[in-house]
Amino acid sequence: MSEEDYKRLHPVLSEVTKTYVDLYTNRPNEKNRAQLIKLEALLHEKLEAIQKAKESEE
Protein backbone atom coordinates (compact mmCIF):
# COMPACT_ATOMS: atom_id res chain seq x y z
CA MET A 1 0.00 0.00 0.00
CA SER A 2 1.42 3.37 -0.98
CA GLU A 3 1.56 6.32 1.36
CA GLU A 4 -1.12 8.15 -0.60
CA ASP A 5 -3.48 5.16 -0.34
CA TYR A 6 -2.84 4.96 3.39
CA LYS A 7 -3.62 8.67 3.82
CA ARG A 8 -6.81 8.33 1.77
CA LEU A 9 -8.04 5.20 3.58
CA HIS A 10 -7.00 6.22 7.11
CA PRO A 11 -7.01 10.03 7.33
CA VAL A 12 -7.25 10.27 11.13
CA LEU A 13 -4.62 7.63 11.79
CA SER A 14 -2.41 9.27 9.20
CA GLU A 15 -2.64 12.65 10.98
CA VAL A 16 -1.94 11.07 14.38
CA THR A 17 1.12 9.33 12.95
CA LYS A 18 2.30 12.57 11.35
CA THR A 19 1.86 14.44 14.65
CA TYR A 20 3.92 11.88 16.58
CA VAL A 21 6.66 11.90 13.96
CA ASP A 22 6.78 15.71 13.98
CA LEU A 23 6.93 15.84 17.78
CA TYR A 24 9.79 13.39 18.06
CA THR A 25 11.62 14.78 15.04
CA ASN A 26 11.57 18.36 16.36
CA ARG A 27 12.11 17.45 20.02
CA PRO A 28 15.91 18.00 20.04
CA ASN A 29 15.38 21.59 18.86
CA GLU A 30 13.14 22.36 21.85
CA LYS A 31 16.09 23.02 24.16
CA ASN A 32 17.68 25.38 21.62
CA ARG A 33 14.37 27.18 21.13
CA ALA A 34 13.96 27.72 24.87
CA GLN A 35 17.50 29.12 25.12
CA LEU A 36 16.87 31.47 22.21
CA ILE A 37 13.67 32.74 23.84
CA LYS A 38 15.58 33.50 27.05
CA LEU A 39 18.33 35.28 25.13
CA GLU A 40 15.76 37.28 23.20
CA ALA A 41 14.14 38.44 26.44
CA LEU A 42 17.54 39.45 27.84
CA LEU A 43 18.33 41.33 24.64
CA HIS A 44 15.05 43.27 24.85
CA GLU A 45 15.76 44.21 28.47
CA LYS A 46 19.23 45.50 27.57
CA LEU A 47 17.92 47.44 24.59
CA GLU A 48 15.23 49.07 26.73
CA ALA A 49 17.86 50.06 29.30
CA ILE A 50 20.02 51.58 26.56
CA GLN A 51 17.05 53.51 25.13
CA LYS A 52 16.12 54.85 28.58
CA ALA A 53 19.73 55.91 29.17
CA LYS A 54 19.80 57.74 25.83
CA GLU A 55 16.49 59.47 26.57
CA SER A 56 17.68 60.60 30.00
CA GLU A 57 20.84 62.11 28.46
CA GLU A 58 18.79 64.23 26.06
Side-chain angles (χ1 to χ4, degrees):
M1 178 181 301
S2 72
E3 189 174 334
E4 292 301 320
D5 290 339
Y6 178 77
K7 286 181 183 179
R8 186 174 47 81
L9 293 172
H10 307 288
V12 174
L13 191 56
S14 176
E15 284 300 314
V16 169
T17 303
K18 180 179 177 283
T19 302
Y20 276 113
V21 168
D22 288 346
L23 283 173
Y24 285 103
T25 301
N26 296 323
R27 192 71 173 165
N29 295 330
E30 188 66 28
K31 184 178 178 183
N32 291 341
R33 189 177 73 81
Q35 288 176 340
L36 288 173
I37 289 171
K38 289 178 185 176
L39 288 173
E40 183 181 13
L42 182 64
L43 176 64
H44 281 291
E45 289 175 12
K46 298 295 182 187
L47 287 174
E48 287 175 0
I50 291 170
Q51 287 175 343
K52 287 179 183 178
K54 282 185 176 181
E55 290 174 359
S56 66
E57 287 178 0
E58 294 175 355

